[in-house]
Amino acid sequence: CRPAEQGDAGAAEPAEQPGRARCAVLIVMGLVIALEVYVSILLANITQSKLSVADRNALLAADSFLTPVMDVFQFLEDAVMVKINFAIGQGSVPAVRAILGVGVIGGLGTGAMAAGLVTVVAFIPAAAQGVLAPFVSGASVGCSLLPTAAEVVMES
């Protein structure tokens, strides 16, 4: 990101262009990272101020349930990406096609299973109670401060 020399008269040498493009990419990446951090802090503050305690607890419980589902998709994507890059490095186009097909079919199958699981949790109250209110157990019997699982699910 160094400025042009005085004697250049505004003409950039071809060797300098990749340096400027790299600098621009680094600046954009830095801005995107800063924006992601800002949005995550802002979202946490808004969630903290706008949601009730029961809703925040249900949100955290749902997040802890959905994070492993997301991790399965991330693992599938990473595995397919590594295998495709290896096949490209070997110059094997048929292997790339086969791996891509397995990845797409695996993604569709995993997506269908995840959609079915989330649908069951969304429409069966007993399953939702177990996911959204795992902290409510027999220990809370007789304690009026902790809501029952049904109350947490009905409020969410």
Side-chain angles (χ1 to χ4, degrees), residues 19-45:
R20 289 185 183 171
R22 182 176 179 212
C23 183
V25 167
L26 291 175
I27 289 172
V28 169
M29 284 177 57
L31 289 173
V32 168
I33 290 170
L35 182 65
E36 284 186 25
V37 169
Y38 174 74
V39 167
S40 67
I41 292 170
L42 182 67
L43 183 62
N45 288 339

Side-chain angles (χ1 to χ4, degrees), residues 110-148:
T110 308
M113 288 185 344
L117 183 63
V118 172
T119 302
V120 166
V121 169
F123 289 109
I124 297 177
Q129 287 176 5
V131 171
L132 297 178
F135 50 85
V136 178
S137 64
S140 66
V141 173
C143 180
S144 62
L145 298 176
L146 291 176
T148 64

Side-chain angles (χ1 to χ4, degrees), residues 4-119:
E5 299 291 325
Q6 293 291 341
D8 286 348
E13 295 177 14
E16 290 185 35
Q17 292 301 329
R20 289 185 183 171
R22 182 176 179 212
C23 183
V25 167
L26 291 175
I27 289 172
V28 169
M29 284 177 57
L31 289 173
V32 168
I33 290 170
L35 182 65
E36 284 186 25
V37 169
Y38 174 74
V39 167
S40 67
I41 292 170
L42 182 67
L43 183 62
N45 288 339
I46 290 172
T47 301
Q48 183 76 18
S49 64
K50 301 290 183 187
L51 294 178
S52 68
V53 174
D55 288 340
R56 280 182 286 168
N57 287 343
L59 180 68
L60 288 173
D63 186 50
S64 68
F65 171 74
L66 292 174
T67 298
V69 174
M70 182 185 69
D71 288 344
V72 168
F73 286 105
Q74 188 65 46
F75 176 76
L76 178 66
E77 177 187 351
D78 291 345
V80 169
M81 172 107 51
V82 167
K83 288 185 176 284
I84 286 177
N85 285 335
F86 182 73
I88 288 173
Q90 288 184 327
S92 177
V93 176
V96 172
R97 286 187 186 132
I99 295 166
L100 187 60
V102 168
V104 168
I105 291 170
L108 288 173
T110 308
M113 288 185 344
L117 183 63
V118 172
T119 302

